[in-house]
Structure formats: structure tokens, C-alpha cells
Amino acid sequence: MKKNPLIVYLCVLLALAACNKKEYFKDTGLQSGVFKEDIYEFLQQRPFLFDSLVQVIDRAGMKSVLQNESVTFFAPPDRSLMLLMNAVNGNRYAQGKDSLRISDIPGDIWRKYLARYIFKGRYMMNDISRVDFARAALYPGQNIESYDGYIMNMGVVYGAYSGTQDVGPRTIWLSAIGDNLTDLAKALTEPVATSNLQPKNGVMHALAGTAFFAYGSDFESVVNDNVP
């Protein structure tokens, strides 16, 4: 019986692939999202995403909180801080003032805003209520005190898939509420890019970096009032 050349060729390719697989393939198992580092160490070991954030944590005097306490931290990436500092310095330039670095801004100012991203206790995605910004009366998420008492809202948005509502990917959103407890649609908000990271002392959700650090709130005016 005559052999089909195409079948022979495919068999040879499969044999070569099986041999080569041993050279490069390593089964590392499933990723659990559980880490041996505390939250501060986790951030410190990823400077390409969080080196400016680590500076802010140090300046705010909150290093020990993220090392030793059981907390949930919504970590704003360096992009959020870049957007903020660009806005601060653009404002100062217009006023004829010198530009500032993170280290030039008093620690108590950084503390005021950084604490809004930290919550006592552990909040995984499954622990957070659903939010729908268009139907907030039905799905309001959950208002919660951040570390120093400022009110934030955390909620899980149910995405659509192939035109079907609520069956797609789920994303955590963090919103700055403050005294505005009734109109979620007007809150400054930002999605989480990576959720359910579990350093040894708590939970971390990495924000997407689409909003200014401190949500473009009164940070600029506070800095202008306190830094010549």
C-alpha cells in the first residue's frame, strides 16, 4: 500500500515537536494569586509598575500598615501618580511657581489621599456587592469607610458577552464618594485591572491607572495652599 506523503510529513513534524517540547516546556501549574510577600514588599519588588507609589507610601508614613495590618489595598499604578503630578506642576507653572517632586509634598497630604485606597479587613471580589452605575438604585455596590474614615464605594460591574447583559467578565470599580452618598452616577470612579492578589497580610487589587491619583479631587488646591 502506498503511503500518503502528507501523512508522513505530519508524523515527522509531530515527532520533532514532541522532542523540542522537552527543551522549552515547563509545567508551572495553575497560578493561585497567593504570594509570600506582604503588600509593601509586593509593590517594592515591581518597580516598573509601583516605584512612585512606594515613594508615596513611605512619604505618607503608611509602610507599616501595608506590612503588618490585615487590609485590602486598591493600588494605583505609577501612571495615576504621573497624571496627578503633571496636573499639579502644570497648575504651578501657570502661577509662576517651581515644579514639585513627590518628595516635595508634605507627608500628611499624601496620607490624606493614600488612605482612601486602603480598607481594614479582606475584600475579595466575591465579598463585594454588585454595582450598576446606570441602575444604582437596584445595584448600588457598597459604601465603605476607608482607612482614615473617608467614604468610598466598591462594587462589581457585570459585563456583557456577545450582546447578552450580565454574563460577561466581572470587574471591580472603586469610586470616591465622600459626602455624596446618594448620587453614585456623579462619583469619580476607576476600574481594577487585576483583582484578588493575595499578599500574606491582605488583599490587593491593582487599579487600571485611567484616573488621576486622588481622582482629580482637591489635591491640587491643597498642595497650592501648603507648598510655596
Side-chain angles (χ1 to χ4, degrees):
M1 185 174 77
K2 207 177 214 183
K3 293 184 179 178
N4 188 323
L6 179 60
I7 293 176
V8 173
Y9 178 68
L10 287 174
C11 289
V12 171
L13 279 181
L14 288 172
L16 288 172
C19 293
N20 291 336
K21 182 178 179 182
K22 293 179 183 178
E23 296 175 9
Y24 70 84
F25 180 78
K26 183 178 180 181
D27 185 359
T28 58
L30 296 175
Q31 297 301 308
S32 66
V34 178
F35 301 90
K36 294 179 181 179
E37 310 101 318
D38 59 52
I39 295 173
Y40 183 84
E41 290 170 335
F42 181 93
L43 298 168
Q44 197 176 40
Q45 291 174 16
R46 291 157 179 83
F48 51 93
L49 290 173
F50 301 117
D51 61 341
S52 295
L53 177 60
V54 169
Q55 291 181 56
V56 168
I57 293 166
D58 291 341
R59 191 80 177 128
M62 301 197 78
K63 176 179 177 180
S64 63
V65 172
L66 297 177
Q67 283 181 318
N68 303 314
E69 297 187 27
S70 179
V71 294
T72 298
F73 183 38
F74 285 78
D78 286 352
R79 173 176 164 75
S80 293
L81 287 156
M82 179 192 71
L83 292 171
L84 174 71
M85 294 304 294
N86 286 347
V88 167
N89 287 323
N91 185 287
R92 290 178 67 83
Y93 178 81
Q95 299 177 60
K97 295 182 177 181
D98 290 337
S99 61
L100 299 175
R101 296 169 297 180
I102 286 172
S103 58
D104 296 322
I105 297 175
D108 58 340
I109 295 178
W110 285 120
R111 164 93 188 211
K112 175 182 178 181
Y113 297 96
L114 180 64
R116 297 179 182 182
Y117 293 88
I118 303 172
F119 303 87
K120 296 176 182 179
R122 298 169 57 91
Y123 292 90
M124 300 283 282
M125 181 183 283
N126 288 343
D127 302 317
I128 300 173
S129 301
R130 180 178 176 181
V131 66
D132 186 327
F133 295 102
R135 298 180 291 170
L138 186 60
Y139 300 112
Q142 60 197 78
N143 290 346
I144 182 171
E145 281 192 0
S146 56
Y147 194 86
D148 284 345
Y150 188 87
I151 303 300
M152 302 289 284
N153 180 283
M154 58 175 76
V156 178
V157 170
Y158 287 36
Y161 179 75
S162 295
T164 304
Q165 287 295 113
D166 304 337
V167 299
R170 299 182 181 183
T171 308
I172 304 172
W173 286 68
L174 184 69
S175 307
I177 298 295
D179 297 329
N180 179 23
L181 301 177
T182 57
D183 195 352
L184 185 59
K186 292 182 178 178
L188 299 167
T189 190
E190 182 176 11
V192 162
T194 305
S195 57
N196 289 356
L197 300 169
Q198 297 179 72
K200 68 180 182 181
N201 66 312
V203 175
M204 198 183 99
H205 307 291
L207 290 165
T210 56
F212 285 36
F213 179 83
Y215 294 98
S217 57
D218 58 347
F219 189 99
E220 289 179 53
S221 60
V222 169
V223 169
N224 277 331
D225 290 344
N226 289 274
V227 184

